[in-house]
Amino acid sequence: MHKRGSFGSRFGAIAAAAGSAIGLGNIWRYPYVVGENGGAAFILLYLLIVFLIGLPCLMSEFALGRFTRKNVFGAFRKLAPKKKWYLIGVLGIVTSFVILAFYSVVAGWTVAFLKDSLINEFSGLSAAAIGSNFDGFVASGWEPLLWTFLFCLITALIVMLGIENGIERYNKIMMPMLLAILLVLCINSFSLDGFKEGIAFLFRPDFSKITVDVALSALGQAFFSLSLGMGTMMTYGSYIRRQDNLLFTSSTVAIADLSIAILAGIAIFPAVFSFGIEPGSGPDLVFKTLPNIFGQMTGGYLLGILFFLLLVVAALTSSVSILEVLVAYCSEELNLSRKKSVIICATLAFGASVVCALSQMPDSSLKIAGQNIFDFLDTFSSSYLMPVGGFFIVIFTGWFFGKQRLHAELSSDGVYKVRYFNLFLFIVRYLAPIAIAFIFFSKIGIL
Ligand code: TRP
């Protein structure tokens, strides 16, 4: 057995879990998904899903992880020996691998943007020029790969250092800084021509826009943003100290994650409308919008550098948590050393990133179901793999983990009062699984 690490303090645990949750999902993915799904109505649905499905799922993962003190695969093996539940672990490992593959590519873009802001590449460019520069960058194939490689290397090094020395230390300072810069960008949004239009897009709901696809996107985005459904939060839960209050930890994480996303929306959309960018333009949205914002604002040069630096860090604290799922599995179940596990997992994931990045070249034949592999993996993992994982995790927590054990875990053996235990139980037993199943079956056309 390898000795397991653990978080040193309550704040450390929250910072690490929030660090996993807050990342490109909030600043890159949330705005583009909001844009594609028509804005305010989507956001309302998203809020509902975060609190009714996301938060209970997060609590379940923390509880199962802390109870078993194991990686996602080992946890289900321990909880339900000789049963098929370990397949959730297998699914989680596959999903982690898939996410890490495309996540590193986008993270690579942020590293490239950090470099570009340092050399003041964007200044004086029109919105159209910024857009076509980005297209050219992605189309070159090899250039994004260089930055992706660099990003994977740093992720691997941090994971190699281990929990306390690596993951925890970097989270504590950087997350509050990211929040501060986002606030500055939000204030700057007031001065843009597109402010009114952007705010209306974000806050004036048109409920006729809600369709099954919109609901599925909201569900997927909630899972993606909170790092749910594949054992990341179970693995982190296994490092949370017994005396910490899981309800407090998980709600802090959910609220922090949500706030960053909402702020990112306010920072981005007024600019989207000011610079004539199409809100539904997909994964490129933020990368084509942000340089314009920094280009026109006073102090934009320095602020841009700081912003992309923090974005890289936010991406790192998330990618580290994804890689940690794979590494915890390899080192605990396959008995490899931590170092060997990191090298093997990171290399495999980078290999998959290469495929994702190359699939974005305009004439690439790397396609699945008509989409390039990058887009396919992005939507498929969030809309299907994670909700399926989350579905079984809440079912297990509600029906198979045991009511007493669940109560003991959530209350830290009676130290904390679990005020809404019955409501929680109702959600994980009925509401969350039925809601997920409902969205799924409607999508497939059964309902
Ligand atoms: N939640 C992270 C983000 O918003 C990404 C992430 C990290 C993730 N770990 C995960 C997504 C596990 C799904 C599952 O950027």
Side-chain angles (χ1 to χ4, degrees), residues 38-287:
F42 170 89
I43 297 178
L44 282 179
L45 194 60
Y46 177 70
L47 282 174
L48 201 71
I49 290 180
V50 165
F51 287 110
L52 286 184
I53 303 179
L55 183 59
C57 189
L58 181 57
M59 288 171 67
S60 304
E61 288 206 25
F62 277 166
L64 297 182
R66 190 170 70 172
F67 178 81
T68 54
R69 300 233 163 253
K70 281 195 178 303
N71 66 85
V72 57
F73 181 87
F76 280 106
R77 264 277 144 89
K78 179 170 168 182
L79 287 164
K82 303 205 199 80
K83 296 259 169 54
K84 291 271 185 286
W85 287 101
Y86 69 88
L87 289 175
I88 303 178
V90 176
L91 177 70
I93 288 161
V94 173
T95 314
S96 307
F97 181 73
V98 167
I99 298 181
L100 195 53
F102 72 81
Y103 202 82
S104 308
V105 174
V106 183
W109 298 349
T110 61
V111 185
F113 269 58
L114 174 59
K115 178 227 32 163
D116 286 342
S117 349
L118 277 167
I119 59 174
N120 210 1
E121 171 89 5
F122 303 120
S123 93
L125 291 186
S126 68
I130 286 171
S132 59
N133 265 2
F134 184 71
D135 290 337
F137 165 75
V138 170
S140 78
W142 65 269
E143 217 190 322
L145 274 181
L146 220 68
W147 302 106
T148 300
F149 177 75
L150 184 64
F151 181 83
C152 289
L153 196 68
I154 305 174
T155 304
L157 287 177
I158 299 178
V159 174
M160 229 179 251
L161 288 176
I163 294 299
E164 298 104 298
N165 298 331
I167 297 173
E168 197 173 332
R169 193 191 308 161
Y170 295 91
N171 280 297
K172 286 189 201 166
I173 336 160
M174 303 286 200
M175 291 298 123
M177 276 171 74
L178 183 67
L179 183 68
I181 295 217
L182 266 183
L183 283 172
V184 175
L185 293 186
C186 289
I187 293 169
N188 178 64
S189 282
F190 282 88
S191 68
L192 297 174
D193 303 335
F195 179 70
K196 262 201 180 141
E197 211 178 335
I199 293 301
F201 186 77
L202 290 172
F203 298 106
R204 196 176 305 147
D206 168 2
F207 290 105
S208 69
K209 285 193 177 149
I210 293 191
T211 62
V212 175
D213 288 311
V214 171
L216 190 63
S217 299
L219 184 70
Q221 176 59 23
F223 275 88
F224 188 90
S225 195
L226 289 169
S227 309
L228 294 176
M230 46 173 265
T232 298
M233 290 304 187
M234 267 175 83
T235 307
Y236 269 25
S238 75
Y239 303 126
I240 297 180
R241 299 174 313 165
R242 211 135 185 108
Q243 68 263 41
D244 288 346
N245 184 346
L246 290 187
L247 175 62
F248 178 79
T249 307
S250 47
S251 32
T252 311
V253 170
I255 291 171
D257 185 65
L258 193 60
S259 319
I260 297 272
I262 300 287
L263 290 178
I266 301 174
I268 300 286
F269 279 97
V272 164
F273 289 100
S274 305
F275 298 107
I277 296 162
E278 174 53 45
S281 61
D284 303 353
L285 180 75
V286 210
F287 288 92

